[in-house]
Amino acid sequence: MRIYTCSRNWDAMLTCIYEAWTSRLGQQNIRLELEPVEQYTLFNEYIHVDVNKGKADSVADAIVEKISSYVYYELTFCSMACEKDVLDNIYRVLILGFAYGPKVLEMVQFKDVMRNNEIRRRLGREVSRFTEAVRFQKVNDSFYVAHIEPKSNLVLALGRHFQDRMPSENWMIVDDVHLEAVVHPANEDFYLRLLSEIELEALKRTERTRDEYTDLWKVFFDTIAIKERINPKLQKNLFPLWARKHAVEFMD
Amino acid sequence: MYEIQPGPDLKEKLEILSDAAKYDVACTSSGVDRAGKEGFIGNSVSAGICHTFAADGRCISLLKVLMSNHCVYDCKYCKNRASNDIPRATFTPDELCSLTIEFYKRNYIEGLFLSSGVIKNPDYTMEKMCETLRLLRTKYRFNGYIHVKAIPGASGELLYSAGLLADRVSINMELPTQASLSALAPNKNMLNILNPMNRISGTIAAHRVAIGKEARLERAGINDHLVNSIFGKGSKVTKEAIAGAEHIGIETAGSQLPAINDTFMYPADRKDALLKRPFAPAGQSTQMIIGASGETDLELVRTSQELYKSFDLKRVFYSAYIPLNEDPALPALDTAVPMKREHRLYQADFLLRYYGFQADELLSADRPFFNDRVDPKCDWAVRHLGDFPVEVNTASYDALLRVPGIGPKGVMRIMSARKYSSVNFQMLKKMGIVLKRAQYFITCNGRMMFNIPMEERFILSQLADVEQTSERKLLIRNDDQNAQMDLFSDFNLTTGVV
Ligand code: SF4
């Protein structure tokens, strides 16, 4: 089996798909994996693929033209998911897409499409969860910073949501796990920024900022619960501990 | 009674006025999609966003507070009633605006839910609330979600302003009959509630038509496929629709309403109209208290159905009564909160809005309460075993949706998959169908999953078992937010009414 590997970035993934597609080895003899590869085995041949803008563009164009821009968008979204098989599965869905056209994502009789939809839904839930649970701290007069610890590399999806929500504020959402952040200067477009460990350490300090409104929020949060209906188990089901980690109402 | 002074004790005010607002159930920010704009703060997402869950497991989406807990009325069930000796406070409009904006920027909330006790009189109170909302929309440039509670008895002009400034307007019905209102809320009457409700719904419709939309609110897409839906083609607003339900407050009062869906008429150059906002684009809602008065589940569900049909309400919320005051007309202070009953009513409400059920299919005069052991949908299915099993590969939308374990999303997926190939049990499982429930009611290509006797008592006991395990796992899902999440968070089909 030949295994094409690449880093987690959309252009690299498209290039990787290009290489696999043009290898003509037969689909059963190929697998695509995201780096870092967890365990190398002796029987497989590993080929690392670097970004090649031209190849990536040609795959992107082919998807939009021969399948649809909707499918293209859906697959870019899925590519943020933490599932180990996500890249390989995108590749399989594309093969089906080139054969069946724009309806491919509805064709759940194919297990790869089913798997794609499974990943898409889980990721969708994860993105919604963080859309809800992000908490900004006011760091200075006009700058807000939030920290999250997601499973997937989803800050870009959050950037889109918050750009619409707060177009004229300066803010930043930091993914403490994957060392990346979306940065949004007021009235401009947001951008992705990869962080060094040192930068992350510095940014982590922002989380300890407290002000009058953090306290008022805690007062509200505690008061609004009806004591005759207290139900910590239900609360935990609906807002699990991992998701609360950076929610200020649960911090001391 | 003492009065909290403005200024340094904002914290204390917030505590008093959120404590007083907590019994209102609705906290959803749903119903309208609105993009953000440069120079403003906020947007709105139609599915709604829950930011956190309080210790009682209820979702927090909005800053839910009263403008004031002063009240000249004396509703027996209410903590803020005039005859109670409790600390009182009133927010200034600026205090409320800063709280909303600062919470919003930190992503604590989606917006403001503003209600109030009656300060002096309904007009005075409503004016104060409108002043706050106006400030929030203009000086504070807030473009997020606002839900405002209309004070029964306030003038049409003020209600009109409120609708232009807010996304959703609601008037709490609290009790579904004039008799209960007279007994428990002596300062209120049914006409004072239904009249503004009627005019709000008419004005929403007029505004929608003016911008080229259908007069009635959009409903979950599944309703377009259902023959029997209360929102279907046959459900146009008519006097007959109102007269249809017997023994309901709406019916009696309904005949006294001027005209169905009357509108507010004011010159277009009124100051709030100049903001060019649609009138209550997220629709109108209401709330009923469960268990303070003697209504049956059937009466409640029929009332809801009529509210949806006649006034095109977006939502009806149910609030299990919590005994706060001692009064001979009320349940005793140690009465348990009827959470299970509230839960069943939410399930039934879902069946009306998403499943094409009608109130009178779910309950009847000789069975006016829901079954404690199984949800209303399973209960219906077991009483109609003759309609089952249905063949998944050929059944209609209506028939599939009546299968326990299959929800609207599941039906859509089945229909979509059916176009390309025949569907089997393996695929159903992958689609999120709860086979544990559905297996008794369906065939795939003529075969049942297991060879099971189609026998009422057997199936009922099996389903009660499933229900108990899922309820043990999830405890009782105790408000509508949770039910809402079931449907909207995609695949959570193992809970709620499916
Ligand atoms: S009007 Fe009635 S329900 Fe509303 S705050 Fe006053 S006493 Fe309470």
Side-chain angles (χ1 to χ4, degrees):
Chain A
M1 169 103 52
R2 185 184 283 179
I3 298 176
Y4 291 92
T5 71
C6 68
S7 62
R8 184 181 273 280
N9 114 18
W10 184 235
D11 278 343
M13 294 189 205
L14 288 174
T15 315
C16 200
I17 289 166
Y18 180 96
E19 297 299 346
W21 181 261
T22 50
S23 71
R24 311 230 165 264
L25 282 177
Q27 307 315 344
Q28 325 79 286
N29 305 316
I30 294 181
R31 206 166 65 221
L32 283 69
E33 259 180 49
L34 284 169
E35 296 163 2
V37 173
E38 289 211 326
Q39 198 174 12
Y40 289 95
T41 58
L42 279 177
F43 313 102
N44 296 326
E45 176 194 1
Y46 291 85
I47 298 186
H48 163 79
V49 178
D50 276 321
V51 178
N52 176 314
K53 197 74 181 101
K55 291 175 179 174
D57 284 349
S58 71
V59 177
D61 291 344
I63 300 173
V64 173
E65 271 164 39
K66 303 216 173 73
I67 309 177
S68 76
S69 49
Y70 168 74
V71 171
Y72 181 75
Y73 171 81
E74 281 295 301
L75 296 179
T76 55
F77 184 78
C78 284
S79 75
M80 298 189 289
C82 61
E83 277 80 358
K84 292 272 169 287
D85 59 339
V86 64
L87 175 58
D88 193 64
N89 203 74
I90 288 175
Y91 178 62
R92 311 276 154 200
V93 170
L94 281 175
I95 294 172
L96 291 167
F98 286 123
Y100 297 100
K103 294 267 181 224
V104 58
L105 295 179
E106 288 175 26
M107 305 179 81
V108 288
Q109 69 269 37
F110 296 112
K111 69 172 194 340
D112 301 319
V113 174
M114 197 72 107
R115 175 68 182 148
N116 180 76
N117 296 356
E118 217 168 67
I119 294 176
R120 171 73 175 79
R121 288 192 294 263
R122 196 217 43 85
L123 177 63
R125 279 199 299 270
E126 195 186 356
V127 171
S128 314
R129 176 62 82 187
F130 283 101
T131 309
E132 299 155 7
V134 160
R135 297 287 181 267
F136 288 98
Q137 312 290 343
K138 188 172 187 171
V139 176
N140 64 37
D141 249 7
S142 59
F143 187 44
Y144 296 81
V145 178
H147 288 266
I148 55 170
E149 292 185 44
K151 295 193 194 98
S152 302
N153 293 51
L154 48 68
V155 276
L156 276 175
L158 295 180
R160 224 173 288 150
H161 173 77
F162 285 98
Q163 167 143 314
D164 190 51
R165 183 180 162 98
M166 303 204 287
S168 300
E169 317 299 320
N170 302 299
W171 50 260
M172 180 173 183
I173 302 171
V174 184
D175 177 343
D176 291 0
V177 183
H178 305 98
L179 273 70
E180 54 184 25
V182 276
V183 183
H184 179 268
N187 301 321
E188 284 175 37
D189 281 338
F190 69 90
Y191 56 87
L192 184 74
R193 171 84 153 69
L194 303 181
L195 303 169
S196 69
E197 293 279 358
I198 298 166
E199 287 172 313
L200 181 66
E201 280 317 307
L203 278 168
K204 274 190 174 163
R205 264 174 262 139
T206 61
E207 187 147 61
R208 291 193 287 272
T209 335
R210 291 284 182 274
D211 63 12
E212 169 194 8
Y213 288 97
T214 348
D215 295 341
L216 287 167
W217 169 241
K218 287 189 189 187
V219 168
F220 176 76
F221 178 76
D222 291 337
T223 316
I224 206 72
I226 296 178
K227 68 174 191 314
E228 289 83 353
R229 303 179 68 135
I230 293 295
N231 192 341
K233 271 194 197 157
L234 179 64
Q235 185 191 30
K236 211 183 281 180
N237 273 327
L238 295 169
F239 201 10
L241 298 179
W242 62 264
R244 294 180 191 181
K245 224 169 152 184
H246 296 269
V248 60
E249 63 270 23
F250 292 101
M251 293 181 193
D252 295 324
Chain B
M1 179 168 101
Y2 61 95
E3 176 71 29
I4 300 297
Q5 294 309 311
D9 41 24
L10 185 57
K11 206 169 179 168
E12 208 173 342
K13 272 193 189 182
L14 179 62
E15 203 168 340
I16 293 176
L17 294 167
S18 52
D19 189 58
K22 70 185 177 194
Y23 301 103
D24 230 300
V25 206
C27 187
T28 158
S29 58
S30 60
V32 58
D33 262 318
R34 180 171 55 243
K37 317 187 247 205
E38 217 168 88
F40 286 79
I41 174 139
N43 62 0
S44 175
V45 178
S46 168
I49 296 180
C50 280
H51 284 280
T52 189
F53 291 88
D56 52 12
R58 295 191 309 158
C59 135
I60 299 178
S61 182
L62 303 171
L63 170 61
K64 182 163 55 178
V65 286
L66 299 191
M67 178 100 218
S68 172
N69 67 337
H70 283 277
C71 194
V72 294
Y73 287 178
D74 206 36
C75 307
K76 299 208 162 132
Y77 48 80
C78 177
K79 197 175 158 193
N80 307 318
R81 64 183 187 179
S83 56
N84 276 4
D85 183 24
I86 52 165
R88 309 268 176 179
T90 304
F91 277 125
T92 66
D94 274 302
E95 282 170 342
L96 266 173
C97 292
S98 325
L99 274 174
T100 309
I101 294 285
E102 296 300 328
F103 280 8
Y104 192 90
K105 282 189 186 168
R106 288 160 177 78
N107 205 37
Y108 299 160
I109 54 168
E110 282 302 287
L112 174 65
F113 179 171
L114 188 60
S115 178
S116 186
V118 183
I119 329 167
K120 295 190 183 149
N121 58 57
D123 271 352
Y124 180 87
T125 313
M126 205 66 230
E127 179 63 64
K128 275 253 168 255
M129 293 165 83
C130 286
E131 187 189 331
T132 305
L133 303 190
R134 198 171 297 127
L135 210 59
L136 195 52
R137 290 296 192 204
T138 55
K139 179 175 158 199
Y140 289 84
R141 303 176 83 75
F142 182 63
N143 188 43
Y145 196 88
I146 297 178
H147 178 163
V148 67
K149 192 123 277 181
I151 307 292
S155 76
E157 197 169 340
L158 287 166
L159 294 183
Y160 186 59
S161 277
L164 290 172
L165 292 162
D167 292 294
R168 175 168 290 177
V169 182
S170 59
I171 302 180
N172 279 0
M173 184 154 204
E174 305 292 20
L175 302 163
T177 61
Q178 180 60 51
S180 301
L181 273 179
S182 310
L184 298 180
N187 310 88
K188 295 183 180 168
N189 74 62
M190 192 55 91
L191 259 187
N192 253 349
I193 294 168
L194 292 183
N195 241 326
M197 201 181 255
N198 181 33
R199 296 184 74 191
I200 289 169
S201 83
T203 311
I204 292 174
H207 269 247
R208 289 175 57 85
V209 171
I211 54 167
K213 291 188 175 177
E214 295 247 343
R216 293 180 74 90
L217 298 178
E218 292 83 17
R219 298 292 173 171
I222 189 82
N223 284 293
D224 299 340
H225 301 285
L226 302 176
V227 182
N228 199 36
S229 162
I230 60 165
F231 303 120
K233 296 276 171 287
S235 75
K236 285 278 170 280
V237 182
T238 56
K239 278 238 175 205
E240 296 71 62
I242 288 201
E246 282 168 54
H247 309 307
I248 297 177
I250 304 176
E251 187 251 339
T252 8
S255 54
Q256 298 170 46
L257 290 175
I260 299 304
N261 295 0
D262 196 14
T263 58
F264 295 120
M265 301 276 267
Y266 295 103
D269 61 352
R270 268 179 56 84
K271 57 186 173 194
D272 292 318
L274 292 178
L275 290 173
K276 299 226 177 316
R277 304 182 57 85
F279 185 90
Q284 184 180 194
S285 65
T286 193
Q287 160 175 322
M288 289 192 280
I289 302 175
I290 307 308
S293 48
E295 281 79 28
T296 62
D297 290 347
L298 175 62
E299 282 173 292
L300 290 163
V301 181
R302 274 183 179 167
T303 303
S304 300
Q305 178 167 312
E306 285 313 310
L307 291 171
Y308 288 129
K309 286 171 81 162
S310 305
F311 299 131
D312 199 24
L313 251 57
K314 184 73 181 177
R315 293 295 311 272
V316 176
F317 294 94
Y318 309 90
S319 167
Y321 174 68
I322 297 166
L324 300 166
N325 299 325
E326 197 141 24
D327 195 294
L330 287 168
L333 280 184
D334 56 358
T335 310
V337 183
M339 306 255 281
K340 184 81 172 241
R341 191 172 170 210
E342 178 195 277
H343 178 56
R344 289 281 180 252
L345 283 162
Y346 274 117
Q347 291 180 317
D349 191 83
F350 264 70
L351 295 180
L352 299 183
R353 291 186 301 124
Y354 295 95
Y355 290 74
F357 277 92
Q358 308 263 343
D360 287 289
E361 291 181 273
L362 298 171
L363 295 169
S364 58
D366 41 296
R367 281 186 70 262
F369 287 96
F370 287 112
N371 188 329
D372 199 40
R373 290 179 64 216
V374 295
D375 72 58
K377 188 179 172 188
C378 283
D379 194 33
W380 179 89
V382 173
R383 283 185 287 114
H384 292 82
L385 282 183
D387 296 356
F388 298 104
V390 298
E391 169 55 47
V392 172
N393 286 293
T394 54
S396 67
Y397 281 90
D398 289 83
L400 279 177
L401 209 41
R402 286 179 177 233
V403 174
I406 303 184
K409 286 224 162 150
V411 172
M412 293 306 234
R413 286 190 195 112
I414 291 172
M415 288 301 184
S416 145
R418 250 164 52 170
K419 281 191 253 165
Y420 302 100
S421 74
S422 98
V423 172
N424 57 36
F425 285 105
Q426 186 62 26
M427 289 161 76
L428 289 180
K429 199 166 169 189
K430 285 266 182 188
M431 288 179 209
I433 305 300
V434 188
L435 286 175
K436 251 186 181 170
R437 284 171 199 249
Q439 59 177 345
Y440 305 102
F441 305 97
I442 52 173
T443 56
C444 283
N445 301 312
R447 296 186 46 201
M448 294 196 73
M449 194 152 107
F450 302 109
N451 210 348
I452 310 163
M454 285 293 274
E455 200 260 301
E456 183 170 332
R457 208 157 344 121
F458 169 76
I459 294 178
L460 199 57
S461 68
Q462 295 295 314
L463 289 174
D465 232 37
V466 174
E467 170 112 344
Q468 266 159 24
T469 13
S470 69
E471 279 191 7
R472 215 177 304 127
K473 227 167 58 202
L474 271 130
L475 311 150
I476 295 169
R477 332 204 81 233
N478 72 3
D479 80 8
D480 92 286
Q481 295 298 330
N482 310 339
Q484 181 178 335
M485 295 213 331
D486 280 345
L487 275 167
F488 292 121
S489 72
D490 251 3
F491 270 70
N492 228 345
L493 289 174
T494 46
T495 57
V497 195
V498 277

